[in-house]
Amino acid sequence: MGRSSRCEKDGLRRGSWTDAEDQILLDYVREHGEGRWEKLSRETGLKRCGKSCRLRWLNYLRPDIKRGNITQEEEELIIRLHKLLGNRWSLIAGRLPGRTDNEIKNYWNSILRKKAKENQSERSRNERKTIEDLATEAAKNTEAEPDCHDGFLPNTSDSDMPRNFITDLNEGQLSISEFLHTDFTKLCELNTKIVDCTNNCRNGSLMSTPTTEAPLHLEELLNDWEAYDFYLP
DNA sequence: AATTCGATCAACCGCCGCCCG
DNA sequence: GCGGGCGGCGGTTGATCGAAT
């Protein structure tokens, strides 16, 4: 790694951690707890910058950490959460006990991104086929008017393809920040109101006047993720 | 057996926000 | 209100390892 850094300038070590360094870090955290990484670095004599200590602890030494063997269930959850949250790895990791943001980020970049791409092209093929089928159908039925309110997309019915998103603009609904901090492992305990803003949120902006409101079970939501499009600011 | 190549993952970087003096 | 220090985050790099040639 050819880049120079503040740590390097201060004469601190970089690169792989040794067993002895790990032990020093472990001992200190056991005694003093997590946090205050710069102080840890100074007091233990570890020639590592605070950030490096924090990273080593969080991604490797933490006792509750799971390493490797990401299960099918975890993988599906990562995909769904990524669809909702984007590259907010720490939030995604927060939903997967024992997994770190770094591990999930690496897993996504090396494995899931490819899968997602493949799925995307598969979906594109299917969508293209559907459009062609619809066009053929429309050509057959010259009486039928195309149902395009704004000339942008066909207006599908709510039951066919609800376009929902979560808003915190209305009292009593789950806020985005609350939702992001929800414990997804306990979904069955939660109910929230999903605001249906059919056809009004294509540009990704929040709506203050939802067209309808319907309580929706979060578990149902995540299990049937493909049915929903979420737009977050 | 030697070399190349791609996948994986630990570690680093810069940026940003928060806190405190 | 301001500035510095610190911690957290996402993006990126580079070492390593195994499979393919």
Side-chain angles (χ1 to χ4, degrees), chain A residues 21-52:
Chain A
E21 286 176 318
D22 282 345
Q23 196 55 53
I24 292 170
L25 179 52
L26 266 173
D27 290 344
Y28 188 92
V29 174
R30 278 190 192 128
E31 194 174 340
H32 299 91
E34 293 181 44
R36 303 178 302 279
W37 301 108
E38 287 297 331
K39 186 163 175 266
L40 178 157
S41 170
R42 284 193 303 271
E43 291 188 357
T44 58
L46 267 176
K47 293 196 181 309
R48 298 278 184 175
C49 66
K51 280 185 173 191
S52 185

Side-chain angles (χ1 to χ4, degrees), chain A residues 4 15-16 43 47 50 52 62 69 93 96 112 120 123 127 147 157 159 167 170 192 199 205 207 219 228:
Chain A
S4 66
S16 299
E43 291 188 357
K47 293 196 181 309
S52 185
R62 234 171 44 189
N69 298 326
L96 292 143
L112 294 183
Q120 181 69 34
R123 285 178 72 179
E127 279 168 17
D147 190 11
S157 74
S159 59
T167 172
N170 296 282
T192 186
N199 294 329
S205 61
M207 292 291 298
E219 187 174 29
Y228 302 93

Side-chain angles (χ1 to χ4, degrees), chain A residues 166-169 173-180 182 192:
Chain A
I166 300 159
T167 172
D168 55 1
L169 297 176
Q173 293 165 351
L174 191 72
S175 72
I176 289 172
S177 58
E178 281 171 335
F179 180 74
L180 297 183
T182 297
T192 186

